[in-house]
Amino acid sequence: MSFVFGSQARVSVVIPCYRCGDTIERAVASIAGQTLLPVEVILVDDSSPDDTLSALFQIQANYPKDWVNVIESSENRGPGTARNLGWDAATQPYIAFLDSDDSWHPQKIEIQYGWMRVHPDASLTGHACRQLGDGDDLAVEKKFQTETAQFVPVSKGSLLLSNCLSTPSVMLRTDLPARLTEGKRHCEDYLLWLEVVCGGFSAYRCDWPLAYLYKAPYGEGGLSAQIWKMEQGQLDAYRTLYRKGCFGLANYALLCVWSWLRFGRRLMKTKLSLSEKGL
């Protein structure tokens, strides 16, 4: 593969990998296609029982030496733990997360890393994502004017009410004194974003869709299909923050009620969608 390094972003990209041999090449190709390349890509195999690890080593061989780093986990402990392994191995001051079945717009790193460098107070940033369906064509992608990018603050209150920071959109500072909860498999990313913001660190979000998702957030394949477990994960996140003193009992109770209401609405929408598809 022809691959030439020019100016690089001081970013480590971390991708947790589990049974993703059919999609991981697309994800890595979207990183290799960035207008500003990251220094390294870290692929963490979460003890896949299939040929995923072989696929990762093949991808590693397809790119310049030391650009792709493959880490093998000795046991399956979920994407949060896998991301922590990649985080610990990262050599750059910024980390960007990507899921193995998603991809990025070519200007994602150029825009997000560029903005964070100019705004060193930003500890964590995210952006909008575009849901792709069958037949969607990315042959001609929208070109963004980097200098006009706007990132708005994400407040503690707004983040508690709704997770507006999808994991494939997040870039954060490597030196943050936080990690994803080991072994937690649902909403572990949301809990981390909340811990960062509740810890007094600043978070921002851009409305530009700089990541592509290839499955619906709820009701289709992957962990997101398990909407009840996702709801349990969110309630656990609120409980964890309450016990840490991030908010009082009254707010904790209101958040739980709010979460239950949203869960009911989400469940109804999922059932309606599946019914329309004849499933």
Side-chain angles (χ1 to χ4, degrees):
M1 176 178 292
S2 176
F3 198 78
V4 179
F5 286 116
S7 178
Q8 289 183 276
R10 297 192 64 193
V11 174
S12 299
V13 180
V14 174
I15 305 180
C17 302
Y18 182 73
R19 303 185 69 170
C20 62
D22 294 337
T23 61
I24 186 60
E25 186 172 354
R26 177 183 63 199
V28 177
S30 76
I31 304 172
Q34 292 293 302
T35 54
L36 182 61
L37 288 169
V39 169
E40 63 183 356
V41 178
I42 303 172
L43 308 178
V44 184
D45 178 55
D46 192 22
S47 193
S48 300
D50 59 4
D51 60 353
T52 292
L53 186 59
S54 297
L56 301 187
F57 282 125
Q58 182 58 56
I59 288 173
Q60 182 184 52
N62 289 340
Y63 290 96
K65 188 177 185 297
D66 297 329
W67 190 63
V68 176
N69 179 18
V70 176
I71 296 177
E72 303 176 50
S73 176
S74 59
E75 61 178 314
N76 177 260
R77 299 191 62 195
T81 299
R83 290 189 185 101
N84 282 344
L85 290 173
W87 192 334
D88 291 341
T91 64
Q92 300 305 304
Y94 292 94
I95 288 178
F97 293 125
L98 179 60
D99 288 339
S100 60
D101 53 358
D102 297 323
S103 65
W104 284 341
H105 183 282
Q107 292 177 278
K108 180 258 186 358
I109 289 182
E110 174 191 351
I111 292 168
Q112 194 170 15
Y113 171 71
W115 191 89
M116 291 188 76
R117 284 195 65 191
V118 175
H119 299 83
D121 67 301
S123 297
L124 183 154
T125 62
H127 51 72
C129 299
R130 177 183 169 190
Q131 176 68 48
L132 297 183
D134 293 338
D136 285 339
D137 185 11
L138 292 177
V140 180
E141 294 176 289
K142 178 177 180 180
K143 182 174 175 58
F144 295 101
Q145 297 299 317
T146 306
E147 63 276 6
T148 64
Q150 294 185 358
F151 286 75
V152 298
V154 177
S155 69
K156 172 183 172 180
S158 65
L159 190 58
L160 281 167
L161 292 176
S162 177
N163 182 12
C164 62
L165 299 170
S166 179
T167 307
S169 81
V170 167
M171 183 179 292
L172 48 73
R173 294 189 58 91
T174 306
D175 60 0
L176 279 172
R179 288 293 187 273
L180 294 120
T181 301
E182 293 286 322
K184 182 174 170 62
R185 292 177 180 268
H186 298 89
C187 291
E188 74 286 345
D189 47 359
Y190 183 39
L191 176 57
L192 175 62
W193 316 154
L194 286 169
E195 287 178 326
V196 168
V197 173
C198 291
F201 298 95
S202 56
Y204 296 82
R205 185 180 186 273
C206 177
D207 283 336
W208 290 352
L210 301 176
Y212 303 126
L213 311 181
Y214 294 85
K215 65 178 183 296
Y218 298 96
E220 293 187 20
L223 289 178
S224 296
Q226 304 173 46
I227 58 175
W228 167 234
K229 291 184 178 180
M230 295 292 286
E231 173 63 13
Q232 290 178 305
Q234 181 165 315
L235 292 173
D236 176 71
Y238 289 154
R239 183 166 52 250
T240 298
L241 294 169
Y242 166 65
R243 289 172 174 172
K244 289 184 176 182
C246 295
F247 42 74
L249 180 59
N251 284 335
Y252 172 53
L254 288 173
L255 285 169
C256 289
V257 171
W258 171 252
S259 181
W260 273 105
L261 290 173
R262 296 186 73 217
F263 166 68
R265 180 173 177 269
R266 191 181 304 130
L267 187 62
M268 290 178 62
K269 288 181 64 177
T270 299
K271 288 183 176 180
L272 179 60
S273 176
L274 292 176
S275 176
E276 290 174 347
K277 294 178 180 179
L279 300 176

